[in-house]
Amino acid sequence: MSTQAPNRQSTPPVRGSWEEMLAEARQLAVRDDERAGEKYELLISRLVKLPLERLAANEFRMQRMLEECMFTYQSFLARRNRLQEAIDLQADQLIYIFDSDAMAVWNERQAYMLGWLDRHDESLVLMAKVQSETPWDIGLRWQLFEMYRKQGRKEEMAELIVELEGLLDALERHRLAPPDEAISVETLQGLVRYLKMMTAIEEGEWQAAYDFFVEAATISDAYKENWHQLFRLLVLNGESKLASRALNREKSPSSQGFWRGLNGLYSGDKEGSKVEWEQVTRIPIDELLMRSAADWILSQYYLGDPKRVGLQLALRLIENMRQNRDPLIIALAGLGWAVQGEYSHLRTNIEFAISQLRGSFNGNKLPEFNWYFFRDLIPAEEFAKIEHYFEVPRGRAA
């Protein structure tokens, strides 16, 4: 679910026009300049006062401008952890500002921010409402399931799966296709198995989890090439034999090698781990897939990164990303400095990574699988200073 900003003009905007004000705000936002917030706030305060017919004129030009300002300013506030301000933004005007699709996106974002403020009941109620209004949205259903999982709400997790199975059963009985043409029955069936896999993992039923993912990968292309969704969890939870079987399906040599090394480390085979990581580090950088670059970097880190080549690649990737910088690569760069014993950049990188996560509404802490890497590679006394920046795996020391 997403909203699209209006098409950017190819000609310079007229001086003093709404378009010029918006262009200035955009440029400041690209530079993450604090003044961008002031520009967007001013634009919103003026746009919301326009008559509806003015907003609708010229194919809703001003309406689209108002929506862009609202969503961009909300992200600006979230990135700076000004969450209550983002939640309260034009709260009494929302029904006049957004149509139903935009309102659903707004409410989804609100639900995340409420959760970040530990207002979990409010968050879940709002997210459940959004998901119920768009029952075929795979991303929303998965997000709601994850929110239930992190709160340990197993009954709600089960209900979400049963509801989806009921929708699929109705399609099959009436020989219908999903109402959203972008979604296939196979993808929905794969999602059912994936959610059952996660439920089995919560119960510690590892073989069942493995079997459910095999079914998902057999049924749906959405999972066939994504075995990392299974083997990462198996490795990190010490299920080394099942992890080895799942790793056989990974096609990226860098990812397979790094995770085989980590699997060996956690099962006590330090020498075997070193061999795996050394093989990964011999893979030329120009042969790396983007999705496996982090695993190549981590292989360098677990070997001590004596020539700083892992850190250099992380920094190069950040520079090349420019506007859309990957928060996890930013955090990895901080880890790279820490591996070198230089901790001054560590907290700065982590805080910047989390601000990027918040601004894209993908979280307010680093994902829990990162917790393991930082715990492994940073001295305990240094890790204790930053552990609160991570989603800590349940059952681990906080």
Side-chain angles (χ1 to χ4, degrees), residues 167-180:
L167 292 174
L168 280 166
D169 182 61
L171 291 179
E172 185 177 336
R173 281 188 286 106
H174 298 289
R175 298 182 180 180
L176 299 173
D180 187 336

Side-chain angles (χ1 to χ4, degrees), residues 197 200-212 230 233-239 242:
M197 177 199 83
I201 285 174
E202 290 298 300
E203 299 292 340
E205 298 173 355
W206 298 102
Q207 183 62 57
Y210 183 94
D211 294 340
F212 279 129
L230 174 63
L233 293 169
L234 295 172
V235 170
L236 297 177
N237 285 280
E239 296 296 322
L242 287 173

Side-chain angles (χ1 to χ4, degrees), residues 211-222:
D211 294 340
F212 279 129
F213 192 87
V214 169
E215 290 181 22
T218 302
I219 293 169
S220 171
D221 289 342

